[in-house]
Amino acid sequence: MPDDQPTPAIQDLYPEHLAHCYGCGRLNEHGHHIRTFQDGEQTVSEFLPDPSHIAVPGFVYGGVIASLIDCHSTATAAAAMAEASQQPLSGPGARTPPRFVTGSLHVDYLRPTPLGEPLVVRGKAREIRGRKVVVESTVYAGGVATARGEVVAVLMPDNFGQG
């Protein structure tokens, strides 16, 4: 990819038949379109909740927060596994990232997340165990952590999502 081209999000690299997820699928017209980028040893996503993401006036629904952590973490797992396998996601020799599904999702809500403010999700792979990657992700609003999650992401079987 030429240097003048923007770096693609990890989700932009998923094949079309695996790009329909409600949280991060670029082909889901009703989804959140979460986009995760590598940022040093971490990953980062930004998301601006809209008024429909309301829980109570002024605050984001917890399920939206969980979906941000979920999709951000599975993309983080893909980047971590690609790096561990020495398969670059961009540049010479770039390959399609491995696709992960959620084996478990645990979310701790630390404080209410304000609606109408950009949210930043930062994640890091903590452990790779065979087909599983354990990822920790934190949601921030205005630089303040509002939720923290742990995802056990499982490498998707080759025939998964084929119809």
Side-chain angles (χ1 to χ4, degrees), residues 24-69:
C24 65
R26 70 184 180 279
L27 300 179
N28 187 329
E29 66 180 272
H30 302 288
H32 296 317
H33 299 134
I34 296 164
R35 300 179 77 226
T36 303
F37 298 89
Q38 292 179 290
D39 185 24
E41 292 185 13
Q42 294 186 337
T43 53
V44 64
S45 295
E46 292 185 14
F47 181 78
L48 180 61
D50 68 42
S52 72
H53 299 134
I54 190 170
V56 297
F59 298 99
V60 178
Y61 167 59
V64 171
I65 301 300
S67 70
L68 294 175
I69 290 170

Side-chain angles (χ1 to χ4, degrees), residues 92-160:
R95 305 205 39 201
T96 301
R99 189 68 165 93
F100 283 80
V101 293
T102 304
S104 71
L105 167 65
H106 176 87
V107 179
D108 290 316
Y109 298 93
L110 307 174
R111 58 184 34 109
T113 301
L115 192 60
E117 181 171 327
L119 305 180
V120 175
V121 187
R122 291 204 166 270
K124 183 172 175 130
R126 190 179 73 211
E127 179 180 1
I128 298 176
R129 298 181 300 214
R131 297 176 46 83
K132 297 179 181 179
V133 179
V134 179
V135 177
E136 293 177 345
S137 293
T138 303
V139 177
Y140 297 90
V144 176
T146 63
R148 185 171 295 117
E150 179 182 273
V151 170
V152 177
V154 180
L155 189 61
M156 183 183 289
D158 290 337
N159 64 349
F160 201 74

